[in-house]
């Protein structure tokens, strides 16, 4: 069994037939795999696999959100926080993300904190600066090993493009230096056709997989390569 984490972020594109197919064709997953289904489908996944959520909200009365204090009791241990789609479309700021990280840790949840530069940042040579700012602000006042960093270049998400292997290795190194060796997983167009090379990057502690999470054969192939 591989030690690298495989975090399957199913996002919000699967209909009930897709979900049904996944559940039927993948009766179980190895222990290093975490599936993060769309909230409405969580009950179908929860007794079968290790489940994580794609987002969380605070303890209180907030119509439409998920209360952080209810997650652990449902047997869920992982939460993705600060995905770039939430930053971009739902205006999540580093400050809000920082509050979410803290409240997750207080509730004994493991956090997958997403960070990543835009294409503009990259082209202007600002990748490290932007990542450092995200880490400083999102982890402000946080002292915990229960955090996994998801390094996801925004321009690599859903585009079929990835940074070069050398770039990913260097960036992961940089992230580890500033956040005291937390685990770092890479995300952004992780696919069956590039997983073998991505898997060879030194320092990578796993992968955050979007689109391929929703395709049974691609899930199988990625697991096969990473777990050997
Ligand atoms: P992708 O998404 O694998 O479809 O690029 C990754 C993510 O958004 O976590």
């Amino acid at each position: 069994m591989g030690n690298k984490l495989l975090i399957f972020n199913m996002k919000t594109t699967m209909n009930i037939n897709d979900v049904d197919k996944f559940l039927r064709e993948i009766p179980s997953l190895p222990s290093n795999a975490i599936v993060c289904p769309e909230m409405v489908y969580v009950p179908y996944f929860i007794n079968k696999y290790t489940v994580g959520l794609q987002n969380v909200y605070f303890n209180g009365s907030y119509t439409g959100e998920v209360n952080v204090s209810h997650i652990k009791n449902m047997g869920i241990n992982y939460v993705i926080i600060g995905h770039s789609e939430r930053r971009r479309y739902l205006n999540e700021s580093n400050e809000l993300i920082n509050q979410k990280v803290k409240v997750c840790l207080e509730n004994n949840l493991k956090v997958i904190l997403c960070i990543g530069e835009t294409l503009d940042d990259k082209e202007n040579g600002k990748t490290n600066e932007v990542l450092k700012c995200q880490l400083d602000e999102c982890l402000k006042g946080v002292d915990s090993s229960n955090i996994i960093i998801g390094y996801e270049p925004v321009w690599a998400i859903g585009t079929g493009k990835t940074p070069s292997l050398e770039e990913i290795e260097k960036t992961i190194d940089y992230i580890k230096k500033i956040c005291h060796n937390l685990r770092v997983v890479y995300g952004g167009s992780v696919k069956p056709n590039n997983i073998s090379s991505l898997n060879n990057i030194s320092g990578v502690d796993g992968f955050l997989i979007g689109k391929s999470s929703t395709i049974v054969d691609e899930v199988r192939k990625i697991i096969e390569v990473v777990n050997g």
Side-chain angles (χ1 to χ4, degrees), residues 65-76:
E65 294 291 345
V66 171
N67 183 328
V68 66
S69 70
H70 299 159
I71 299 173
K72 190 88 182 177
N73 288 342
M74 294 299 291
I76 297 171

Side-chain angles (χ1 to χ4, degrees), residues 14-221:
M14 292 170 88
N15 64 29
I16 189 64
N17 297 327
D18 303 326
V19 169
D20 195 50
K21 178 175 159 73
F22 188 100
L23 295 165
R24 266 187 293 108
E25 297 192 10
I26 306 199
S28 66
L29 283 167
S31 60
N32 57 327
I34 301 158
V35 188
C36 305
E38 183 177 344
M39 209 66 84
V40 72
Y41 301 130
V42 166
Y44 297 121
F45 286 76
I46 208 158
N47 293 321
K48 256 173 118 76
Y49 320 111
T50 301
V51 166
L53 297 190
Q54 298 175 15
N55 177 43
V56 74
Y57 210 66
F58 303 96
N59 185 6
S61 206
Y62 300 103
T63 300
E65 294 291 345
V66 171
N67 183 328
V68 66
S69 70
H70 299 159
I71 299 173
K72 190 88 182 177
N73 288 342
M74 294 299 291
I76 297 171
N77 291 311
Y78 293 88
V79 182
I80 298 174
I81 302 284
H83 190 279
S84 67
E85 286 158 5
R86 297 197 61 85
R87 292 175 183 262
R88 183 168 169 197
Y89 304 120
L90 296 146
N91 296 321
E92 286 204 359
S93 63
N94 287 338
E95 194 186 346
L96 175 68
I97 292 165
N98 177 245
Q99 288 167 7
K100 288 188 175 187
V101 169
K102 284 180 177 161
V103 85
C104 282
L105 296 177
E106 282 161 18
N107 283 274
N108 295 318
L109 295 161
K110 292 187 173 53
V111 170
I112 300 146
L113 169 65
C114 295
I115 60 167
E117 81 284 0
T118 64
L119 190 57
D120 236 34
D121 297 330
K122 180 180 163 59
E123 287 174 351
N124 290 311
K126 290 195 167 153
T127 298
N128 285 0
E129 189 186 318
V130 167
L131 296 178
K132 180 165 182 349
C133 172
Q134 289 176 346
L135 286 169
D136 286 349
E137 293 184 7
C138 296
L139 295 177
K140 195 167 166 192
V142 171
D143 175 24
S144 171
S145 53
N146 273 342
I147 294 180
I148 298 147
I149 305 293
Y151 169 52
E152 299 202 297
V154 179
W155 55 273
I157 294 175
T159 60
K161 295 180 191 148
T162 64
S164 70
L165 302 181
E166 295 71 32
E167 282 174 321
I168 297 174
E169 187 174 327
K170 269 195 194 150
T171 307
I172 287 180
D173 240 35
Y174 177 73
I175 294 169
K176 288 193 174 186
K177 261 184 210 116
I178 39 185
C179 64
H180 312 292
N181 280 323
L182 288 177
R183 278 183 294 174
V184 181
V185 300
Y186 169 79
S189 295
V190 176
K191 304 270 174 212
N193 66 7
N194 61 17
I195 188 66
S196 299
S197 29
L198 293 170
N199 196 40
N200 285 329
I201 297 173
S202 100
V204 75
D205 297 305
F207 301 97
L208 187 41
I209 301 126
K211 179 69 187 161
S212 286
S213 301
T214 64
I215 304 164
V216 165
D217 288 345
E218 302 199 2
V219 169
R220 285 206 193 100
K221 173 77 183 162

